[in-house]
Amino acid sequence: MRRLALVVLLAVAPLGVGGIVAAVMTSDYRMRRLTAFVDPYSDPEGTGYHMIQSLVAVANGAGAGRGLGFGLQKFGYLPEDRTDLLFAVICEELG
């Protein structure tokens, strides 16, 4: 039974992957997001800004963090610090 499920999954997976690739390739917005994910420094003041600032926040946290409430990136550098980039804020403050 498990083998049949694996065979069906492997038979259908290329269709899903092909659909995702087609959706990304036909949308300029999705291509920019993917490029920013792979290389945020290709456009550091545009599409890569959020990724770079989140990486800075994680790096500033180091091992032990700055302390709860003492993170600096949340003060204007991370635009969505309470929703999208909460992980980066937690890493900066708590390590």
Side-chain angles (χ1 to χ4, degrees), residues 58 60-67 87 89-95:
V58 171
N60 285 340
R66 293 181 175 265
F87 177 76
V89 173
I90 291 172
C91 286
E92 183 181 22
E93 293 184 356
L94 302 178

Side-chain angles (χ1 to χ4, degrees), residues 23-46:
V24 170
M25 297 296 285
T26 58
S27 173
D28 187 45
Y29 169 74
R30 290 184 186 121
M31 281 299 291
R32 285 194 316 261
R33 292 285 303 260
L34 186 62
T35 303
F37 178 75
V38 173
D39 182 19
Y41 295 99
S42 65
D43 185 15
E45 295 178 5

Side-chain angles (χ1 to χ4, degrees), residues 41 48-62 66 72-73 77-78 88-89 91-93:
Y41 295 99
Y49 180 78
H50 297 116
M51 178 69 87
I52 292 170
Q53 294 304 319
S54 66
L55 290 172
V56 168
V58 171
N60 285 340
R66 293 181 175 265
L72 300 176
Q73 290 298 108
Y77 298 105
L78 291 172
V89 173
C91 286
E92 183 181 22
E93 293 184 356

Side-chain angles (χ1 to χ4, degrees), residues 73-87:
Q73 290 298 108
K74 64 183 174 185
F75 296 119
Y77 298 105
L78 291 172
E80 299 296 331
D81 59 334
R82 295 172 192 239
T83 56
D84 296 342
L85 300 172
L86 184 60
F87 177 76

